[in-house]
Amino acid sequence: MECKHTYASIPDLIAKKRDGQELDPDEIKQFIRGLSNGDVQDCHVGAMLMAIFIRGMSENEICSMTMSMRDSGERLHWPQYRGSVVDKHSTGGIGDKISIPLAPALAACGLKVPMMAGRGLGITGGTLDKLESMPGYQTQLSDEQISNVINTVGCGIFSQSLKLNPADRYLYAIRDVTATVPHNALIVSSILSKKSIEDLDALVLDVKYGSSAFMKTIEQAENLAQWLHKVSEMLGMRTCCYITEMNNPIGFCIGNAIEIEESLDLMKYKENHSKDLEELVCEQGGRLLLLTNKVETIEQGREMLRQTFRNGSALKKFHEMIIAQGVSKTIADQLVESTETNDILKLSNIQHRAIALESGFIESIDSFKLGTIVQRLGGGRLKSTDKIDFSVGIRLLKHIGDKVQANEPWAILYAKDDASTRFPKFLEEFNSALRISSTPVQPLQRIYKVLS
Ligand code: URA
């Protein structure tokens, strides 16, 4: 449909939002269309995002923005799999690698998972960046490649592209480096424009709250979850929102290559895999099995998911998925068959240990501090052109509630070569991320609420 307001220039639209007025659906469409046709430049995008961030958006504006972004490219269709097409998306956290083992586990349960994921945003890591730490992994897939991976494997994890939601691809990259990520309107339109392209039967959203999440408080997270619910209902998507804790990192690993290693440990069901990660994956995957009527209770759903890790079927799907997305068979074999994956994932060999200053029980591990260190060392972006350094990261040696002795190491920092001059400051930050209690500490409760 053509825009009514052909007289409004892009600077006029920015000025309207800057002055606190509501943009009408045609104006939002004009701006979003301008991202693809060249009418809108990076400077316009930065200014508009900041105006939205400061002035906010009405319900009508959020819905129009989501639909305009969704319609900026093509949509996927899965009539042959009706009733079995699902996905999960998170608002972003530190150590949040849930999607990586979840997609193949769901495929192993017979569901179809066309997962359009994101890159790192701010200090939170991105599923796509993590997957690209496997040499050869392609995130930009053609329609044919997406159909092929869904038809043959059952799951694929890929990015927006020039054909699929180009608007989010553009806005997402600029939000990441203009301090305009944590805003309801921008998060809702970004997430739901991607998910509504996928032709889903059920969606689980993981809305995080805490020091390293975009929503710092439970109230903010609940408010975001309500918006996500409202807009996904309007788009006709069956959605369940989890509100989960994000003051402490998920699992033991933070970074890109290192989070692939930890995801593989769960899929291999190694003795020392993260139980924290396993619980979240089984809960959210179990919910999708319940929402699509593949099981009768959430307990059955959790158990069915867990079984895919125990019996190796999730690992097999992961192997097939990464080959279908460009990883050579030799590398894929080594990643899934070997207990030693570092020849491929190549974590930095410059390592520093954080030491506990006193004895006691681990009360909290500040994920904001750890996420910031990894981002600054090159694990995230400060400019949209920054290249990710996959080799940096943090490995926790302890978790909440564990006992620790004074002078015992509790974490390892894998740092990049040229960061040596910055180590003193990073190491101070690194050491200060740990809080120790003199009395025993209860294990972490991640899930605060489920809204379905
Ligand atoms: N994930 C997204 O895809 N978009 C956001 O804005 C935040 C998390």
Coordinates of all heavy atoms in Angstrom, one line a residue, residues 125-214:
G125 N 25.5 -11.6 25.0 CA 26.0 -12.3 23.8 C 24.9 -12.7 22.9 O 23.7 -12.7 23.3
G126 N 25.2 -12.9 21.6 CA 24.2 -13.3 20.6 C 24.4 -14.7 20.2 O 25.5 -15.2 20.0
T127 N 23.3 -15.4 20.0 CA 23.3 -16.8 19.5 C 24.1 -16.9 18.2 O 24.9 -17.9 18.0 CB 21.9 -17.3 19.4 OG1 21.2 -17.2 20.7 CG2 21.8 -18.8 18.9
L128 N 23.9 -16.0 17.3 CA 24.5 -16.1 16.0 C 26.0 -15.9 16.1 O 26.8 -16.7 15.5 CB 23.9 -15.0 15.0 CG 22.4 -15.1 14.7 CD1 22.0 -13.9 13.9 CD2 22.1 -16.4 14.0
D129 N 26.4 -15.0 16.9 CA 27.9 -14.8 17.1 C 28.5 -16.1 17.7 O 29.6 -16.5 17.3 CB 28.2 -13.6 18.0 CG 27.7 -12.3 17.5 OD1 27.8 -12.1 16.2 OD2 27.3 -11.4 18.2
K130 N 27.8 -16.7 18.6 CA 28.4 -17.9 19.3 C 28.5 -19.0 18.2 O 29.5 -19.7 18.1 CB 27.4 -18.3 20.4 CG 27.4 -17.3 21.6 CD 26.4 -17.6 22.6 CE 26.2 -16.3 23.5 NZ 25.1 -16.4 24.5
L131 N 27.4 -19.2 17.4 CA 27.5 -20.2 16.4 C 28.6 -20.0 15.4 O 29.2 -21.0 14.9 CB 26.1 -20.4 15.7 CG 25.0 -20.9 16.6 CD1 23.6 -20.7 16.0 CD2 25.2 -22.4 16.8
E132 N 28.8 -18.7 15.1 CA 29.9 -18.5 14.1 C 31.3 -18.8 14.6 O 32.2 -18.7 13.8 CB 29.8 -17.0 13.6 CG 28.6 -16.8 12.6 CD 28.4 -15.4 12.2 OE1 29.1 -14.5 12.7 OE2 27.6 -15.1 11.3
S133 N 31.4 -19.1 15.9 CA 32.7 -19.5 16.4 C 33.1 -20.9 15.9 O 34.2 -21.3 16.0 CB 32.8 -19.3 17.9 OG 32.0 -20.3 18.5
M134 N 32.1 -21.6 15.3 CA 32.4 -22.9 14.7 C 32.8 -22.6 13.2 O 31.9 -22.0 12.5 CB 31.2 -23.8 14.7 CG 30.8 -24.2 16.1 SD 29.4 -25.3 16.1 CE 28.1 -24.2 15.7
P135 N 34.0 -22.9 12.8 CA 34.4 -22.5 11.4 C 33.5 -23.0 10.4 O 33.1 -24.2 10.4 CB 35.8 -23.2 11.3 CG 36.3 -23.4 12.7 CD 35.0 -23.6 13.5
G136 N 33.0 -22.1 9.5 CA 32.2 -22.5 8.4 C 30.7 -22.3 8.6 O 29.9 -22.3 7.7
Y137 N 30.3 -22.1 9.9 CA 28.8 -22.0 10.2 C 28.3 -20.7 9.5 O 28.7 -19.6 9.7 CB 28.6 -21.9 11.7 CG 27.1 -22.0 12.0 CD1 26.6 -23.3 12.3 CD2 26.3 -20.9 12.1 CE1 25.2 -23.4 12.6 CE2 24.9 -21.0 12.4 CZ 24.4 -22.3 12.7 OH 23.1 -22.4 13.0
Q138 N 27.2 -20.9 8.7 CA 26.6 -19.8 7.9 C 25.3 -19.4 8.6 O 24.5 -20.3 8.8 CB 26.2 -20.3 6.5 CG 27.4 -20.7 5.6 CD 28.4 -19.6 5.4 OE1 28.0 -18.5 5.2 NE2 29.7 -19.9 5.5
T139 N 25.2 -18.1 8.9 CA 24.0 -17.7 9.5 C 23.0 -17.1 8.5 O 21.8 -17.0 8.7 CB 24.3 -16.6 10.6 OG1 25.1 -15.6 10.1 CG2 25.0 -17.2 11.8
Q140 N 23.6 -16.6 7.4 CA 22.7 -16.0 6.3 C 22.3 -17.1 5.4 O 23.1 -17.5 4.6 CB 23.5 -15.0 5.6 CG 23.9 -13.7 6.3 CD 23.0 -12.6 6.0 OE1 22.4 -12.5 4.9 NE2 22.9 -11.6 6.9
L141 N 21.1 -17.5 5.5 CA 20.6 -18.6 4.6 C 19.6 -18.1 3.6 O 18.8 -17.2 3.9 CB 19.9 -19.7 5.4 CG 20.8 -20.4 6.6 CD1 20.0 -21.5 7.2 CD2 22.1 -20.9 6.1
S142 N 19.6 -18.7 2.4 CA 18.6 -18.4 1.4 C 17.3 -19.1 1.8 O 17.3 -20.0 2.7 CB 19.0 -18.9 0.0 OG 19.1 -20.3 0.1
D143 N 16.2 -18.8 1.2 CA 14.9 -19.5 1.4 C 15.1 -21.0 1.3 O 14.5 -21.8 2.0 CB 13.8 -19.0 0.5 CG 13.5 -17.6 0.7 OD1 14.1 -17.0 1.6 OD2 12.6 -17.0 0.0
E144 N 15.8 -21.4 0.2 CA 15.9 -22.8 -0.1 C 16.7 -23.5 1.0 O 16.4 -24.6 1.4 CB 16.7 -23.0 -1.5 CG 16.0 -22.5 -2.7 CD 15.8 -21.0 -2.8 OE1 16.7 -20.2 -2.3 OE2 14.8 -20.5 -3.3
Q145 N 17.8 -22.8 1.5 CA 18.6 -23.4 2.5 C 17.8 -23.5 3.8 O 17.9 -24.5 4.5 CB 19.8 -22.6 2.8 CG 20.9 -22.7 1.7 CD 22.0 -21.7 1.8 OE1 21.7 -20.5 2.1 NE2 23.2 -22.1 1.7
I146 N 16.9 -22.6 4.1 CA 16.1 -22.7 5.3 C 15.1 -23.8 5.1 O 15.0 -24.7 6.0 CB 15.3 -21.3 5.6 CG1 16.3 -20.2 5.9 CG2 14.3 -21.5 6.7 CD1 15.7 -18.8 6.1
S147 N 14.5 -23.9 4.0 CA 13.5 -25.1 3.8 C 14.3 -26.4 3.9 O 13.8 -27.3 4.5 CB 12.9 -25.0 2.4 OG 12.1 -23.9 2.3
N148 N 15.5 -26.4 3.3 CA 16.2 -27.7 3.3 C 16.6 -28.1 4.8 O 16.4 -29.2 5.2 CB 17.5 -27.5 2.5 CG 18.3 -28.7 2.5 OD1 17.8 -29.8 2.3 ND2 19.6 -28.6 2.8
V149 N 17.0 -27.1 5.6 CA 17.5 -27.5 7.0 C 16.2 -27.9 7.8 O 16.3 -28.8 8.6 CB 18.4 -26.4 7.6 CG1 17.6 -25.2 8.1 CG2 19.2 -26.9 8.7
I150 N 15.1 -27.2 7.6 CA 13.9 -27.6 8.3 C 13.3 -28.9 7.9 O 13.0 -29.8 8.7 CB 12.8 -26.5 8.3 CG1 13.4 -25.2 8.8 CG2 11.5 -26.9 9.0 CD1 13.9 -25.2 10.3
N151 N 13.3 -29.1 6.5 CA 12.8 -30.4 6.0 C 13.7 -31.6 6.4 O 13.2 -32.7 6.7 CB 12.7 -30.3 4.5 CG 11.6 -29.4 4.1 OD1 10.6 -29.1 4.8 ND2 11.7 -28.8 2.9
T152 N 15.0 -31.4 6.3 CA 15.8 -32.6 6.5 C 16.3 -32.8 7.9 O 16.4 -33.9 8.4 CB 17.1 -32.5 5.6 OG1 17.8 -31.3 5.9 CG2 16.7 -32.5 4.1
V153 N 16.6 -31.7 8.6 CA 17.1 -31.8 10.0 C 15.9 -31.6 11.0 O 15.8 -32.3 12.0 CB 18.2 -30.8 10.3 CG1 18.8 -31.0 11.7 CG2 19.3 -30.9 9.3
G154 N 15.1 -30.5 10.8 CA 14.1 -30.2 11.7 C 14.3 -28.9 12.4 O 13.4 -28.3 13.0
C155 N 15.6 -28.4 12.4 CA 15.9 -27.1 13.1 C 17.0 -26.4 12.3 O 17.8 -27.1 11.7 CB 16.3 -27.3 14.5 SG 17.8 -28.3 14.7
G156 N 16.9 -25.1 12.4 CA 18.0 -24.3 11.8 C 18.0 -23.0 12.6 O 17.0 -22.5 13.1
I157 N 19.2 -22.5 12.8 CA 19.4 -21.2 13.5 C 20.1 -20.2 12.6 O 21.2 -20.4 12.2 CB 20.2 -21.4 14.9 CG1 19.6 -22.5 15.7 CG2 20.1 -20.1 15.6 CD1 20.3 -22.8 17.0
F158 N 19.3 -19.2 12.2 CA 19.8 -18.3 11.2 C 19.5 -16.8 11.5 O 18.8 -16.6 12.5 CB 19.3 -18.7 9.8 CG 17.8 -19.0 9.8 CD1 16.9 -17.9 9.6 CD2 17.3 -20.2 10.1 CE1 15.5 -18.2 9.7 CE2 15.9 -20.5 10.2 CZ 15.0 -19.4 10.0
S159 N 20.0 -15.9 10.6 CA 19.8 -14.5 10.9 C 18.7 -13.9 10.0 O 18.3 -14.5 9.0 CB 21.1 -13.8 10.7 OG 21.4 -13.7 9.4
Q160 N 18.4 -12.6 10.4 CA 17.6 -11.8 9.4 C 18.5 -11.7 8.2 O 19.8 -11.9 8.3 CB 17.4 -10.4 10.0 CG 17.0 -10.3 11.4 CD 18.3 -10.0 12.2 OE1 19.3 -10.5 12.0 NE2 18.1 -9.1 13.2
S161 N 18.0 -11.3 7.1 CA 18.8 -11.1 5.9 C 18.2 -10.0 5.0 O 17.2 -9.4 5.4 CB 18.8 -12.4 5.1 OG 17.5 -12.7 4.6
L162 N 18.7 -9.8 3.8 CA 18.2 -8.8 2.9 C 16.7 -9.2 2.5 O 15.9 -8.3 2.2 CB 19.0 -8.6 1.7 CG 20.4 -7.9 2.0 CD1 21.2 -7.9 0.7 CD2 20.2 -6.5 2.5
K163 N 16.4 -10.5 2.6 CA 15.1 -10.9 2.2 C 14.2 -11.2 3.5 O 13.0 -11.1 3.4 CB 15.2 -12.2 1.4 CG 15.6 -12.0 0.0 CD 15.8 -13.2 -0.8 CE 14.6 -13.5 -1.7 NZ 14.9 -14.8 -2.4
L164 N 14.8 -11.5 4.6 CA 14.0 -11.8 5.8 C 14.2 -10.8 6.8 O 15.3 -10.7 7.4 CB 14.4 -13.2 6.4 CG 14.0 -14.5 5.6 CD1 14.6 -15.7 6.3 CD2 12.5 -14.6 5.5
N165 N 13.2 -10.0 7.1 CA 13.2 -8.9 8.1 C 14.5 -8.0 7.9 O 15.2 -7.8 8.9 CB 13.1 -9.5 9.5 CG 12.6 -8.4 10.5 OD1 12.6 -7.3 10.2 ND2 12.1 -8.9 11.6
P166 N 14.7 -7.5 6.7 CA 15.9 -6.6 6.6 C 15.8 -5.4 7.6 O 16.8 -4.9 8.0 CB 15.8 -6.1 5.2 CG 14.5 -6.4 4.7 CD 13.9 -7.6 5.5
A167 N 14.6 -5.0 7.9 CA 14.4 -3.8 8.8 C 15.0 -4.1 10.2 O 15.8 -3.3 10.8 CB 13.0 -3.5 9.0
D168 N 14.8 -5.3 10.7 CA 15.3 -5.6 12.1 C 16.9 -5.8 12.0 O 17.6 -5.4 12.9 CB 14.7 -6.9 12.6 CG 15.2 -7.2 14.1 OD1 15.1 -6.3 14.9 OD2 15.8 -8.3 14.3
R169 N 17.3 -6.3 10.9 CA 18.8 -6.5 10.7 C 19.5 -5.1 10.8 O 20.5 -4.9 11.5 CB 19.0 -7.1 9.3 CG 20.4 -7.4 8.9 CD 20.4 -8.2 7.6 NE 21.7 -8.5 7.1 CZ 22.2 -7.9 6.1 NH1 21.6 -7.0 5.4 NH2 23.4 -8.3 5.7
Y170 N 18.9 -4.1 10.2 CA 19.4 -2.7 10.2 C 19.3 -2.1 11.5 O 20.2 -1.6 12.1 CB 18.6 -2.0 9.1 CG 19.3 -0.7 8.6 CD1 18.9 -0.2 7.4 CD2 20.2 0.0 9.4 CE1 19.5 1.0 6.9 CE2 20.8 1.2 8.9 CZ 20.4 1.7 7.7 OH 20.9 2.9 7.2
L171 N 18.0 -2.1 12.1 CA 17.8 -1.4 13.4 C 18.6 -2.1 14.5 O 19.1 -1.4 15.4 CB 16.3 -1.4 13.7 CG 15.4 -0.7 12.7 CD1 13.9 -0.9 13.2 CD2 15.7 0.8 12.7
Y172 N 18.6 -3.4 14.5 CA 19.3 -4.1 15.6 C 20.8 -3.7 15.7 O 21.3 -3.5 16.7 CB 19.2 -5.6 15.2 CG 19.4 -6.6 16.3 CD1 18.4 -7.2 17.0 CD2 20.7 -7.1 16.5 CE1 18.6 -8.2 18.0 CE2 20.9 -8.1 17.5 CZ 19.9 -8.6 18.2 OH 20.1 -9.6 19.2
A173 N 21.4 -3.7 14.5 CA 22.9 -3.3 14.5 C 23.1 -1.9 15.0 O 24.1 -1.7 15.7 CB 23.4 -3.5 13.1
I174 N 22.2 -1.0 14.7 CA 22.4 0.4 15.1 C 22.0 0.5 16.6 O 22.7 1.3 17.4 CB 21.7 1.4 14.2 CG1 22.3 1.2 12.8 CG2 21.8 2.8 14.7 CD1 22.1 2.3 11.8
R175 N 21.0 -0.2 17.0 CA 20.6 -0.1 18.5 C 21.8 -0.6 19.3 O 22.0 0.0 20.4 CB 19.4 -1.0 18.7 CG 18.1 -0.4 18.3 CD 16.9 -1.4 18.4 NE 16.7 -1.8 19.8 CZ 16.3 -3.0 20.1 NH1 16.1 -4.0 19.2 NH2 16.1 -3.4 21.4
D176 N 22.4 -1.6 18.9 CA 23.5 -2.2 19.6 C 24.6 -1.2 20.0 O 25.2 -1.3 21.1 CB 24.2 -3.4 18.8 CG 25.2 -4.1 19.6 OD1 25.1 -4.1 20.8 OD2 26.1 -4.7 19.0
V177 N 24.8 -0.2 19.1 CA 25.9 0.7 19.4 C 25.5 2.2 19.6 O 26.3 3.1 19.6 CB 26.9 0.7 18.2 CG1 27.6 -0.6 18.2 CG2 26.3 1.0 16.9
T178 N 24.2 2.4 19.9 CA 23.7 3.7 20.1 C 22.9 3.8 21.5 O 22.2 4.8 21.7 CB 22.8 4.3 19.0 OG1 21.7 3.3 18.8 CG2 23.5 4.5 17.7
A179 N 23.2 2.9 22.4 CA 22.5 2.9 23.7 C 21.0 3.0 23.6 O 20.4 3.7 24.4 CB 23.1 4.1 24.5
T180 N 20.4 2.3 22.6 CA 19.0 2.3 22.5 C 18.4 0.9 22.5 O 17.3 0.7 21.9 CB 18.6 3.0 21.1 OG1 19.3 2.4 20.1 CG2 18.9 4.5 21.2
V181 N 19.0 0.0 23.2 CA 18.5 -1.3 23.3 C 17.3 -1.4 24.3 O 16.2 -1.9 23.9 CB 19.6 -2.4 23.6 CG1 19.0 -3.7 23.8 CG2 20.6 -2.4 22.5
P182 N 17.5 -1.0 25.6 CA 16.5 -1.4 26.6 C 15.2 -0.6 26.6 O 15.0 0.2 27.5 CB 17.3 -1.3 27.9 CG 18.4 -0.3 27.6 CD 18.6 -0.2 26.2
H183 N 14.4 -0.7 25.6 CA 13.2 0.0 25.5 C 12.1 -1.0 25.1 O 12.2 -1.6 24.0 CB 13.3 1.2 24.6 CG 12.1 2.1 24.7 ND1 10.9 1.8 24.1 CD2 11.9 3.3 25.4 CE1 10.0 2.8 24.4 NE2 10.6 3.7 25.2
N184 N 10.9 -1.0 25.8 CA 9.9 -1.9 25.4 C 9.5 -1.9 24.0 O 9.4 -3.0 23.3 CB 8.6 -1.6 26.2 CG 8.7 -2.1 27.6 OD1 9.6 -2.8 28.0 ND2 7.6 -1.9 28.4
A185 N 9.2 -0.7 23.4 CA 8.7 -0.6 22.0 C 9.8 -1.3 21.1 O 9.4 -2.0 20.1 CB 8.5 0.8 21.7
L186 N 11.0 -1.0 21.3 CA 12.1 -1.5 20.4 C 12.3 -3.0 20.6 O 12.6 -3.7 19.6 CB 13.4 -0.7 20.6 CG 13.2 0.8 20.3 CD1 14.5 1.6 20.7 CD2 12.9 1.1 18.8
I187 N 12.2 -3.4 21.8 CA 12.4 -4.9 22.1 C 11.3 -5.7 21.5 O 11.4 -6.7 20.8 CB 12.6 -5.2 23.6 CG1 13.9 -4.5 24.1 CG2 12.7 -6.7 23.8 CD1 14.2 -4.6 25.5
V188 N 10.0 -5.2 21.8 CA 8.8 -5.9 21.3 C 8.8 -6.0 19.8 O 8.6 -7.1 19.2 CB 7.5 -5.2 21.9 CG1 6.3 -5.8 21.2 CG2 7.4 -5.4 23.4
S189 N 9.1 -4.9 19.1 CA 9.0 -4.9 17.7 C 10.1 -5.7 17.1 O 9.9 -6.5 16.1 CB 9.0 -3.5 17.1 OG 10.1 -2.8 17.6
S190 N 11.3 -5.7 17.7 CA 12.4 -6.5 17.2 C 12.1 -8.0 17.3 O 12.3 -8.7 16.4 CB 13.7 -6.1 18.0 OG 14.7 -7.0 17.7
I191 N 11.7 -8.4 18.5 CA 11.5 -9.8 18.7 C 10.3 -10.3 17.9 O 10.4 -11.3 17.2 CB 11.4 -10.1 20.2 CG1 12.7 -9.9 21.0 CG2 10.9 -11.6 20.5 CD1 12.6 -10.1 22.5
L192 N 9.2 -9.6 18.0 CA 8.0 -10.2 17.4 C 8.0 -10.0 15.9 O 7.3 -10.8 15.2 CB 6.8 -9.6 18.1 CG 6.6 -10.0 19.6 CD1 5.3 -9.4 20.2 CD2 6.6 -11.5 19.8
S193 N 8.7 -9.1 15.4 CA 8.8 -9.0 13.9 C 9.5 -10.2 13.4 O 9.2 -10.8 12.4 CB 9.4 -7.7 13.4 OG 10.8 -7.6 13.9
K194 N 10.5 -10.7 14.1 CA 11.3 -11.9 13.7 C 10.4 -13.1 13.9 O 10.3 -14.0 13.0 CB 12.5 -12.1 14.5 CG 13.7 -11.1 14.2 CD 15.0 -11.5 14.8 CE 15.2 -11.1 16.2 NZ 15.3 -9.7 16.5
K195 N 9.8 -13.2 15.0 CA 9.0 -14.5 15.3 C 7.8 -14.6 14.4 O 7.4 -15.7 14.1 CB 8.6 -14.5 16.8 CG 9.8 -14.5 17.7 CD 10.8 -15.6 17.6 CE 12.2 -15.2 17.1 NZ 13.1 -16.4 17.0
S196 N 7.2 -13.4 14.1 CA 5.9 -13.5 13.3 C 6.2 -13.9 11.8 O 5.3 -14.2 11.0 CB 5.1 -12.3 13.4 OG 5.9 -11.2 13.0
I197 N 7.5 -13.8 11.4 CA 7.9 -14.3 10.1 C 7.9 -15.8 10.0 O 7.8 -16.4 8.9 CB 9.2 -13.6 9.7 CG1 9.0 -12.2 9.3 CG2 9.9 -14.4 8.6 CD1 10.3 -11.4 9.2
E198 N 8.1 -16.4 11.1 CA 8.4 -17.9 11.1 C 7.2 -18.8 11.0 O 7.4 -20.0 10.9 CB 9.2 -18.2 12.4 CG 10.5 -17.5 12.6 CD 11.2 -17.7 13.9 OE1 10.6 -18.4 14.8 OE2 12.3 -17.2 14.1
D199 N 6.0 -18.3 11.0 CA 4.8 -19.1 10.8 C 4.7 -20.2 11.9 O 4.6 -21.4 11.7 CB 4.8 -19.7 9.4 CG 3.4 -20.4 9.1 OD1 2.4 -20.0 9.7 OD2 3.4 -21.2 8.2
L200 N 4.7 -19.7 13.2 CA 4.8 -20.6 14.3 C 3.4 -21.1 14.8 O 2.4 -20.3 14.7 CB 5.5 -19.9 15.5 CG 6.9 -19.4 15.3 CD1 7.4 -18.6 16.5 CD2 7.8 -20.5 15.0
D201 N 3.4 -22.2 15.5 CA 2.3 -22.7 16.2 C 2.4 -22.4 17.7 O 1.4 -22.3 18.4 CB 2.1 -24.2 16.0 CG 1.8 -24.5 14.6 OD1 0.8 -24.1 14.1 OD2 2.6 -25.2 13.9
A202 N 3.6 -22.2 18.2 CA 3.8 -21.9 19.6 C 5.2 -21.2 19.8 O 6.1 -21.6 19.1 CB 3.7 -23.1 20.5
L203 N 5.2 -20.3 20.7 CA 6.4 -19.5 21.0 C 6.6 -19.4 22.5 O 5.6 -19.1 23.2 CB 6.2 -18.1 20.4 CG 7.3 -17.0 20.7 CD1 8.7 -17.4 20.1 CD2 6.9 -15.7 20.1
V204 N 7.8 -19.6 22.9 CA 8.2 -19.3 24.3 C 9.1 -18.1 24.3 O 10.1 -18.0 23.6 CB 8.8 -20.5 25.0 CG1 9.6 -20.1 26.2 CG2 7.8 -21.5 25.5
L205 N 8.8 -17.1 25.2 CA 9.7 -16.0 25.3 C 10.2 -15.9 26.7 O 9.5 -16.2 27.7 CB 8.8 -14.7 25.1 CG 8.3 -14.5 23.6 CD1 7.4 -13.3 23.5 CD2 9.5 -14.4 22.7
D206 N 11.5 -15.7 26.8 CA 12.2 -15.7 28.1 C 12.6 -14.2 28.4 O 13.5 -13.7 27.8 CB 13.5 -16.6 27.9 CG 14.2 -16.8 29.3 OD1 13.8 -16.2 30.3 OD2 15.2 -17.5 29.3
V207 N 11.8 -13.6 29.3 CA 12.1 -12.2 29.6 C 12.9 -12.1 30.9 O 12.5 -12.6 31.9 CB 10.7 -11.5 29.8 CG1 11.0 -10.0 30.1 CG2 9.8 -11.6 28.6
K208 N 14.1 -11.6 30.7 CA 15.1 -11.6 31.8 C 15.0 -10.3 32.7 O 14.8 -9.2 32.1 CB 16.5 -11.7 31.3 CG 16.6 -12.9 30.3 CD 17.4 -14.0 30.9 CE 17.6 -15.1 30.0 NZ 17.2 -16.4 30.6
Y209 N 15.2 -10.5 34.0 CA 15.3 -9.3 34.8 C 16.6 -9.4 35.6 O 17.1 -10.5 35.9 CB 14.1 -9.1 35.8 CG 14.1 -10.1 36.9 CD1 14.8 -9.8 38.1 CD2 13.5 -11.3 36.8 CE1 14.8 -10.8 39.1 CE2 13.5 -12.2 37.8 CZ 14.2 -12.0 38.9 OH 14.2 -12.9 39.9
G210 N 17.2 -8.3 36.0 CA 18.4 -8.4 36.8 C 19.5 -7.4 36.3 O 19.4 -6.7 35.3
S211 N 20.7 -7.5 37.0 CA 21.7 -6.5 36.8 C 22.2 -6.5 35.3 O 22.6 -5.5 34.8 CB 22.9 -6.7 37.7 OG 23.5 -8.0 37.5
S212 N 22.3 -7.7 34.7 CA 22.8 -7.8 33.4 C 21.8 -7.9 32.3 O 22.1 -8.1 31.1 CB 23.8 -8.9 33.3 OG 23.1 -10.1 33.5
A213 N 20.5 -7.8 32.7 CA 19.4 -7.9 31.7 C 19.0 -6.4 31.3 O 19.4 -5.5 32.0 CB 18.2 -8.6 32.3
F214 N 18.3 -6.3 30.2 CA 17.9 -5.0 29.8 C 16.8 -4.4 30.8 O 16.7 -3.2 31.0 CB 17.4 -5.0 28.4 CG 18.5 -5.4 27.4 CD1 18.3 -6.4 26.5 CD2 19.7 -4.7 27.4 CE1 19.3 -6.8 25.7 CE2 20.7 -5.1 26.6 CZ 20.6 -6.1 25.7

